[in-house]
């Protein structure tokens, strides 16, 4: 191995490097190539997941705003005035999910010395918030949130909640730089495109046309 390759292997650490070494049948050069390919694939997936997150966030936010107005509530739905999303109104109360995600986003906005406007708070929310809003625990929201997916085959909750749960798990793996070489990449890309198609088929086509995942996936180093 080159000196730089040896240094990279050392800095990756034995625990993290071992699965790649196993896949490469003990060949350290090939194992390092697999590690690098894993990083490239993660980057390509991250871009597509980012597109999904933005479009999903905007679609769900629009429905939450519409619901807020329909129910005649004051302020912003992000304020959770009815305390149905887990807001604890006590001065030092302990918020529950999913409102805890909103409170954390609001804190990040303030820590960045920005005004906590609706759009600023929205921009700081996590993927986890949107998954939680469509999760079984918040099923009471679904009659309204289903409208965010006008092109879904039916209004059934599982069409959205199930693939979104898989993608949240994948996103967390990528965010923590975990190994994804054993993940069903084609299946997860299909989840991304399927959810986008439920929101807007044209958006799905745009993301699919620009996705780098198929190209990078095909570059996997031979074992």
């Amino acid at each position: 191995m080159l000196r730089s390759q040896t240094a990279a292997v050392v800095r990756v650490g034995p625990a993290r490097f071992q699965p790649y070494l196993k896949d490469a049948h003990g060949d350290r050069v090939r194992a390092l190539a697999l590690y690098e390919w894993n990083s490239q694939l993660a980057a390509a997936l991250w871009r597509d997941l980012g597109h999904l997150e933005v479009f999903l966030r905007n679609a769900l936010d629009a429905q939450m705003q519409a619901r807020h107005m329909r129910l005649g509530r004051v302020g912003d739905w992000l304020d959770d005035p009815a305390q149905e999303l887990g807001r604890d109104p006590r001065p030092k109360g302990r918020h529950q999910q999913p409102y805890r995600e909103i409170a954390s986003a609001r804190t990040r906005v303030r820590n960045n010395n920005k005004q906590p406007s609706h759009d600023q708070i929205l921009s700081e929310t996590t993927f986890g918030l949107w998954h939680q809003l469509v999760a079984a625990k918040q099923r009471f929201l679904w009659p309204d949130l289903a409208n965010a997916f006008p092109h879904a085959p039916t209004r059934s909750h599982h069409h959205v909640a199930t693939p979104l749960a898989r993608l949240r798990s994948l996103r967390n793996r990528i965010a923590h730089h975990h190994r994804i070489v054993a993940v069903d990449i084609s299946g997860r890309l299909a989840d991304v495109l399927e959810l986008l198609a439920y929101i807007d088929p044209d958006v799905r086509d745009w993301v699919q046309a620009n996705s780098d995942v198929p190209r990078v996936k095909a570059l996997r180093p031979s074992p």
Side-chain angles (χ1 to χ4, degrees):
M1 295 183 72
L2 297 175
R3 182 175 178 177
S4 59
Q5 292 174 318
T6 301
V9 169
V10 171
R11 294 299 179 180
V12 166
R16 187 175 291 269
F17 194 64
Q18 181 57 37
Y20 300 97
L21 196 59
K22 182 179 178 181
D23 286 346
H25 309 294
D27 187 317
R28 289 159 66 86
V29 173
R30 289 181 178 177
L32 188 59
L34 272 174
Y35 181 84
E36 172 58 18
W37 174 78
N38 186 85
S39 298
Q40 293 172 351
L41 186 60
L45 281 163
W46 189 260
R47 184 172 72 172
D48 292 350
L49 285 167
H51 289 320
L52 171 64
E53 184 170 356
V54 169
F55 297 133
L56 178 71
R57 180 174 69 197
N58 290 342
L60 291 176
D61 173 54
Q63 297 307 318
M64 289 297 289
Q65 290 193 62
R67 179 177 185 273
H68 190 79
M69 293 180 64
R70 178 176 61 78
L71 294 174
R73 293 173 176 170
V74 298
D76 192 318
W77 77 264
L78 290 171
D79 298 329
D80 191 20
Q83 300 168 35
E84 61 186 5
L85 300 180
R87 180 176 69 89
D88 188 335
R90 295 175 299 177
K92 293 186 178 181
R94 294 185 177 183
H95 304 306
Q96 302 299 314
Q97 297 288 25
Y99 185 78
R100 189 183 301 165
E101 297 284 345
I102 298 171
S104 295
R106 197 186 303 272
T107 297
R108 287 190 290 273
V109 169
R110 287 174 174 155
N111 287 344
N112 290 330
N113 297 316
K114 295 182 178 180
Q115 290 298 316
S117 66
H118 179 91
D119 288 340
Q120 283 292 345
I121 296 171
L122 207 65
S123 71
E124 291 290 344
T125 57
T126 66
F127 195 90
L129 170 64
W130 309 105
H131 171 243
Q132 289 169 34
L133 288 183
V134 302
K137 188 176 180 180
Q138 311 299 329
R139 195 69 171 266
F140 65 92
L141 296 173
W142 183 248
D144 292 288
L145 295 188
N147 296 325
F149 309 95
H151 302 282
T154 72
R155 289 176 63 87
S156 177
H157 178 255
H158 80 88
H159 285 308
V160 172
T162 300
L164 200 57
R166 290 193 294 258
L167 291 175
R168 184 182 182 186
S169 177
L170 173 63
R171 189 185 185 282
N172 288 342
R173 289 193 66 81
I174 293 174
H176 292 281
H177 313 293
H178 289 320
R179 181 172 171 267
I180 60 170
V181 298
V183 172
D184 178 7
I185 300 302
S186 296
R188 297 299 73 75
L189 178 59
D191 285 340
V192 169
L193 297 176
E194 182 178 56
L195 288 170
L196 288 170
Y198 295 165
I199 297 171
D200 186 334
D202 290 334
V203 167
R204 183 272 315 277
D205 292 345
W206 177 75
V207 172
Q208 186 173 31
N210 289 282
S211 176
D212 208 28
V213 172
R215 182 190 68 81
V216 176
K217 181 174 178 288
L219 295 176
R220 176 171 180 160
S222 59

